[in-house]
Amino acid sequence: MNLKAITICCATVFAFTGCNRSDVNVLGPLPQRGYVWQREWTPAVIDSLRQAKRRMSGVVLLGAEISFGGKSPEIVKPSIDWEAVRRQTQHCSIALRVAPFGGPFRADDARIRVITDVAKQLLDDARAHDVKIEEFQFDFDCAQKNLASYHTWLSILRPIVHPIRFVMTVLPAWLDEPEFLSLIRETDGYVLQVHSVPISSGSSATLCEPRLAREWIARAGKLGIPFSVALPTYRCA
């Protein structure tokens, strides 16, 4: 779904699974949400909220991005118009994005303190503007080899977010990792990202391969853990 200025750039389809089932069937329409991933809240971004209210079941706002690549953490917070969110959005979630980071994942270092401080600030900002946050997404593309260590961050972040629903983003490659089940049990659910930005050029480059996406969704559906599916509705150049 392409909204004005392609502001809402990714539709999320909920797929709630049943436990101990080899096949998962879903009857009826699935709720859909859109990601608002812009840093600058221009009039076009605000207008997209009005469109989303009519056409979607809610939105997920990018609250902040954190990078640990330099000597000190870099924090970028979009200029969210909270008053516009309060007026035009009935169902709102927020995402905290952390750029790729190779570790270590300690419980007592400056990095996790930055993450938890930013998470608290985002939730405080929403409360201060009377915006009810229904879900907090932690968006971090952890390397597969570090999934066991990634537990540390999630276990510290979860009690800070609760009682708000706490979910994490998941890459398809994680599904077969032995640590995956114990990792997602640190959360209330997860978002399966079936899209990626291709690094190759040419007309054959694609954001999402439908056949693989269906296979990943079917594999996730057998695990018995609630999950969403992030689908691309934008183009890549």
Side-chain angles (χ1 to χ4, degrees):
M1 181 180 294
N2 292 317
L3 300 185
K4 185 175 181 181
I6 321 182
T7 298
I8 294 187
C9 59
C10 191
T12 303
V13 179
F14 285 110
F16 291 103
T17 70
C19 296
N20 302 318
R21 294 176 59 183
S22 58
D23 295 300
V24 177
N25 296 314
V26 179
L27 300 177
L30 293 171
Q32 297 189 47
R33 295 180 297 175
Y35 284 99
V36 183
W37 217 249
Q38 276 66 25
R39 292 184 177 184
E40 294 298 325
W41 275 54
T42 63
V45 174
I46 296 172
D47 182 63
S48 73
L49 294 179
R50 287 190 287 268
Q51 296 187 53
K53 187 175 181 179
R54 295 193 303 267
R55 301 164 62 182
M56 291 183 166
S57 305
V59 293
V60 183
L61 311 179
L62 174 63
E65 294 182 89
I66 303 173
S67 174
F68 296 118
K71 293 183 179 180
S72 59
E74 179 184 355
I75 303 171
V76 177
K77 295 183 70 175
S79 55
I80 297 175
D81 188 331
W82 287 107
E83 288 303 314
V85 174
R86 182 180 60 82
R87 292 194 310 268
Q88 301 174 36
T89 304
Q90 293 178 335
H91 301 284
C92 181
S93 300
I94 198 160
L96 172 58
R97 168 74 178 164
V98 174
F101 170 71
F105 301 85
R106 297 194 178 101
D108 57 353
D109 67 4
R111 296 182 184 90
I112 188 59
R113 287 195 292 272
V114 169
I115 291 172
T116 55
D117 286 348
V118 172
K120 291 176 183 176
Q121 290 169 13
L122 293 176
L123 296 176
D124 287 344
D125 287 346
R127 280 191 291 265
H129 292 88
D130 293 324
V131 173
K132 180 181 179 182
I133 299 298
E134 297 183 339
E135 181 179 278
F136 186 98
Q137 290 190 13
F138 190 56
D139 183 0
F140 174 59
D141 296 342
C142 182
Q144 288 172 252
K145 64 180 180 180
N146 292 329
L147 289 183
S149 300
Y150 183 26
H151 275 268
T152 303
W153 278 7
L154 295 176
S155 63
I156 293 173
L157 193 54
R158 182 176 188 176
I160 290 173
V161 172
H162 273 196
I164 295 170
R165 176 177 167 81
F166 178 52
V167 305
M168 62 187 287
T169 56
V170 166
L171 300 177
W174 298 3
L175 294 173
D176 293 325
E177 291 295 322
E179 297 88 358
F180 180 63
L181 273 177
S182 59
L183 189 70
I184 58 177
R185 289 190 178 116
E186 294 285 355
T187 69
D188 300 307
Y190 62 97
V191 180
L192 179 62
Q193 298 176 326
V194 297
H195 61 285
S196 61
V197 177
I199 58 175
S200 61
S201 59
S203 59
S204 62
T206 182
L207 282 168
C208 180
E209 172 52 56
R211 179 186 60 81
L212 288 174
R214 292 188 184 97
E215 291 179 4
W216 295 327
I217 292 167
R219 198 179 310 164
K222 295 177 181 179
L223 299 178
I225 305 293
F227 70 103
S228 308
V229 181
L231 302 170
T233 58
Y234 52 92
R235 294 183 178 180
C236 176

